[in-house]
Amino acid sequence: GNESFHFEFILLGIFDHSHTHTFLFSLILAVSTVAFMENTAMVLIIYLDTQLHTPMYFLLSQLSLMDLMLVCTTVPKMAFNYLSGRKFISLEGCGTQILFYVSLLGAECFLLAVMAYDHYVAICHPLRYTILMNQKLCMLLTVASWILGSFDGIIVLAAALSFPYRRSLEIHHFFCDVAALLPLSCTDTSAFERHLFICCVVMIILPVSVIIISYSCVLQAVIRMGSGESRRKVFTTCSSHLSVVGLYYGAGMFMYMRPAPNHTPNQDKVVSAFYTILTPMLNPLIYSVRNKEVSQGLKKLLGKGSLI
């Protein structure tokens, strides 16, 4: 057990060096670069444009920051291993990936629920919005999302590293996912895997419940609206968030709420690539295309180089 920190795993990756896979790797790298640039721009726009200093856009900037960190957690190591031909990763490096990966996924789960609550208050209680969703409460809920996600990451990391592992083991993934790491342990991890499954279910069900309740109230409010313009604005705002929720939770449920016998390494790799690379690229597009304020902020940033 004490020697566990002195050996390396082998990340088999998602691509080989055939022409088709080289093209796919280039495509994934391009998508990752776009995701990095988009989320960086989103954070800068919201930070620099004083007109966007509201709870809704602050939460959006935190979502972009989480997506940005998620891309940086998995893609650089994958690209380095593929280009250099070295597929090794130390247990320390593997643990670092697990910590950030699980923490960011957990934090994003809770943040999406907070964003749904923000939309509920803005639409159903507009006159009391500054009371029910003030800057202090917004900051508190955001910090709570980060803390809960980090707490989850620390627990999963501590449990995963408590198991002994054999030397020079092959991980059938392009990064250290705890689900791909546990089968390589020398001991029986079935009890921990059951607890991990229950934890994933709870972390998905609770935020989804908040989202469903929030948008049920929003739907009732929309039905009572007499103005077609008001309905259009509500639809534009909520549809962007629901699109992101669908992408994120859909992939998460497919990945972590299936029984273990139904998992295959290739399926897990594809789904992981979807919500760690493709979803962070799509999120800023979804919000910027349907949001005039963000689009205007981007034009100011590109046109003047300053938003102040």
Side-chain angles (χ1 to χ4, degrees):
N2 293 331
E3 296 179 356
S4 295
F5 289 85
H6 302 289
F7 66 88
E8 294 179 320
F9 292 111
I10 301 173
L11 289 172
L12 296 181
I14 193 171
F15 302 118
D16 57 34
H17 288 276
S18 66
H19 293 298
T20 301
H21 280 208
T22 300
F23 169 77
L24 292 174
F25 168 78
S26 302
L27 183 62
I28 289 293
L29 198 60
V31 170
S32 304
T33 303
V34 172
F36 179 87
M37 296 174 63
E38 285 178 343
N39 285 287
T40 301
M42 185 70 76
V43 172
L44 289 175
I45 289 168
I46 294 172
Y47 176 75
L48 295 174
D49 192 341
T50 55
Q51 294 181 350
L52 301 180
H53 289 181
T54 63
M56 182 180 76
Y57 290 109
F58 174 74
L59 294 173
L60 179 57
S61 72
Q62 295 301 296
L63 178 66
S64 292
L65 180 60
M66 291 176 185
D67 284 340
L68 179 63
M69 293 177 65
L70 191 60
V71 171
C72 293
T73 298
T74 58
V75 175
K77 182 61 177 175
M78 178 196 73
F80 174 80
N81 285 0
Y82 183 82
L83 294 173
S84 67
R86 293 188 73 256
K87 297 185 177 183
F88 297 102
I89 184 170
S90 65
L91 188 60
E92 296 92 330
C94 191
T96 301
Q97 281 195 331
I98 291 174
L99 175 63
F100 279 95
Y101 175 74
V102 175
S103 298
L104 290 167
L105 290 183
E108 197 160 330
C109 268
F110 294 111
L111 186 71
L112 289 173
V114 174
M115 295 175 74
Y117 170 75
D118 175 70
H119 289 160
Y120 155 72
V121 175
I123 294 167
C124 298
H125 303 283
L127 299 180
R128 302 174 60 197
Y129 180 78
T130 55
I131 299 174
L132 297 176
M133 194 61 177
N134 54 54
Q135 293 283 355
K136 184 178 180 180
L137 179 59
C138 178
M139 183 65 69
L140 181 64
L141 292 174
T142 303
V143 171
S145 298
W146 281 99
I147 291 176
L148 289 172
S150 300
F151 185 66
D152 182 46
I154 292 171
I155 291 177
V156 171
L157 174 64
L161 295 187
S162 68
F163 297 113
Y165 296 95
R166 296 181 295 272
R167 293 175 177 269
S168 300
L169 293 175
E170 296 180 340
I171 300 177
H172 291 269
H173 220 302
F174 62 92
F175 68 95
C176 275
D177 185 11
V178 65
L181 180 64
L182 290 178
L184 308 181
S185 173
C186 302
T187 59
D188 181 23
T189 61
S190 57
F192 173 69
E193 289 180 35
R194 285 194 298 271
H195 286 93
L196 184 63
F197 174 78
I198 294 172
C199 179
C200 290
V201 171
V202 171
M203 288 193 64
I204 290 176
I205 294 299
L206 288 180
V208 166
S209 299
V210 173
I211 293 170
I212 291 174
I213 293 172
S214 297
Y215 280 111
S216 297
C217 296
V218 168
L219 180 61
Q220 294 177 8
V222 170
I223 293 174
R224 293 194 298 265
M225 288 180 180
S227 171
E229 180 65 19
S230 298
R231 290 184 178 181
R232 187 191 66 79
K233 289 182 179 179
V234 171
F235 174 77
T236 300
T237 301
C238 295
S239 61
S240 298
H241 183 247
L242 287 173
S243 298
V244 172
V245 167
L247 288 171
Y248 181 81
Y249 284 106
M253 289 179 180
F254 182 81
M255 183 71 180
Y256 294 107
M257 293 183 68
R258 287 181 300 154
N262 294 342
H263 282 249
T264 64
N266 289 334
Q267 281 184 342
D268 290 347
K269 291 178 187 179
V270 172
V271 176
S272 296
F274 179 82
Y275 66 78
T276 60
I277 300 173
L278 185 60
T279 300
M281 187 272 290
L282 293 175
N283 288 350
L285 287 178
I286 292 171
Y287 278 105
S288 61
V289 168
R290 298 188 176 187
N291 192 299
K292 291 182 179 180
E293 288 80 7
V294 173
S295 299
Q296 290 172 355
L298 178 60
K299 291 178 181 178
K300 292 179 183 178
L301 181 64
L302 297 177
K304 298 181 181 180
S306 176
L307 295 170
I308 302 175

